[in-house]
Amino acid sequence: MNTASQVALRILQVTDSHLYASQQGQLLGINTQDSLKAVLVAFSQLQQEVDLMLVTGDISQDGTPESYQRFIDSTASFKIPQRWIAGNHDEYALMQQLYKNSPCLNRSFVAENWQVLMLNSNVPGKVYGVLTDDELNYLKQQLDNSAAKYTMVCLHHHTLPVGCQWLDNIGLRNADKFNQLIDQYDQVKLVLCGHIHQELDRNDFHTRYLGSPSTCIQFAKHSDEFKLDSLAPGFRLINLMQNGDVVTSIHRADQFSFQIDETAAGY
């Protein structure tokens, strides 16, 4: 059994909070401020120490400075270092402007045997994602030059199909390029995404692919058309082990009371 001394990095993944400038902002029936709070309470009840809060996009629903400040205020009491990437609802240029001097936008770091890379798949004004040639070149250079034994790559959009036709149509448009690239590097042990508002845990070649519940609405699995799930908001815990293993678990805010808009045809 793995012991704490074998853990290289302990991560709390928080994703797709879809906050608004207003504290009363709702997404398809859920107050996103309240659901984020419920998720953070559920995490605190575990009394689980982590080294990093990894925020994998769609922090904001309306792209306002107030929504990003709302996220900062909501998570400040945990005093956990954060790293952010932009989702399709985020205003990436605004994030860079507001937090250019903050470590939350640092794109790479090394923790013991692990290199962690944060990629930007945001396409302004679009729901789908793309990794530009510059972004793919950045990834390749980082993988070529890293002395770390293992690598985790993080981006908002999913790079493998999840079995929901509508959702797979708005994933990473050039996923083939991305997957072909990382297939060349055995050290890439984990690819982590947001965007899909549901659990994903797949292995492909030497790499494990993980996706996680949103802190607000959940998308129903295996649905060709847009459909919500009644599962509670949640988060993922990830332990990157010194030997290259990944130990992870999903947790949900089951005490959170909410009523989704089951008639919604999109968002």
Side-chain angles (χ1 to χ4, degrees):
M1 183 174 178
N2 291 314
T3 64
S5 63
Q6 295 174 303
V7 180
L9 188 66
R10 301 166 299 180
I11 298 170
L12 163 63
Q13 184 195 10
V14 174
T15 195
D16 295 87
S17 54
H18 292 274
L19 297 177
Y20 293 82
S22 169
Q23 188 171 344
Q24 282 72 47
Q26 290 192 4
L27 183 62
L28 303 185
I30 289 186
N31 180 302
T32 58
Q33 174 73 42
D34 290 347
S35 61
L36 174 61
K37 180 180 178 180
V39 164
L40 295 173
V41 168
F43 165 69
S44 66
Q45 289 174 342
L46 295 178
Q47 298 185 325
Q48 178 78 48
E49 291 188 7
V50 296
D51 306 304
L52 178 70
M53 183 184 297
L54 194 51
V55 187
T56 47
D58 281 355
I59 301 168
S60 174
Q61 174 68 10
D62 60 8
T64 57
E66 293 84 357
S67 61
Y68 294 108
Q69 187 60 49
R70 190 170 297 287
F71 185 88
I72 291 172
D73 293 344
S74 297
T75 57
S77 63
F78 290 91
K79 296 180 171 56
I80 304 169
Q82 298 184 15
R83 295 293 184 272
W84 297 2
I85 49 180
N88 50 286
H89 287 275
D90 288 309
E91 291 291 340
Y92 182 55
L94 176 64
M95 291 170 65
Q96 291 179 303
Q97 175 187 336
L98 293 174
Y99 305 109
K100 59 185 177 182
N101 297 320
S102 169
C104 71
L105 294 186
N106 286 358
R107 304 196 63 199
S108 66
F109 62 94
V110 174
E112 298 191 31
N113 294 334
W114 282 85
Q115 173 191 37
V116 179
L117 300 176
M118 316 289 284
L119 300 182
N120 175 37
S121 58
N122 172 280
V123 180
K126 303 296 182 183
V127 181
Y128 61 79
V130 170
L131 293 174
T132 64
D133 288 343
D134 285 347
E135 203 72 5
L136 290 169
N137 288 336
Y138 169 80
L139 173 60
K140 185 177 188 305
Q141 290 169 4
Q142 290 291 317
L143 293 173
D144 283 338
N145 297 325
S146 176
K149 294 176 66 175
Y150 315 111
T151 298
M152 175 174 72
V153 179
C154 310
L155 70 167
H156 179 67
H157 293 84
H158 55 300
T159 63
L160 291 180
V162 297
C164 294
Q165 183 175 339
W166 74 272
L167 194 51
D168 290 332
N169 287 339
I170 56 171
L172 188 71
R173 283 286 170 92
N174 57 343
D176 287 348
K177 280 188 176 181
F178 170 80
N179 291 323
Q180 288 167 10
L181 175 58
I182 65 168
D183 284 348
Q184 301 172 35
Y185 294 87
D186 288 346
Q187 75 260 37
V188 180
K189 298 299 182 185
L190 179 60
V191 172
L192 183 68
C193 74
H195 192 54
I196 61 174
H197 292 235
Q198 61 185 246
E199 295 182 46
L200 172 71
D201 190 344
R202 283 182 54 185
N203 288 284
D204 193 63
F205 291 98
H206 50 77
T207 303
R208 189 172 180 182
Y209 293 77
L210 295 177
S212 302
S214 162
T215 68
C216 59
I217 58 171
Q218 311 303 305
F219 298 150
K221 290 187 174 184
H222 313 302
S223 178
D224 287 342
E225 298 180 351
F226 181 90
K227 184 179 180 182
L228 296 179
D229 201 318
S230 59
L231 287 169
F235 60 94
R236 183 183 286 278
L237 293 177
I238 304 167
N239 284 351
L240 303 182
M241 311 305 291
Q242 292 181 9
N243 65 357
D245 288 345
V246 176
V247 179
T248 184
S249 56
I250 292 289
H251 304 265
R252 295 186 183 271
D254 290 320
Q255 303 305 310
F256 179 58
S257 178
F258 62 97
Q259 182 63 50
I260 59 173
D261 180 1
E262 297 182 355
T263 65
Y267 79 112

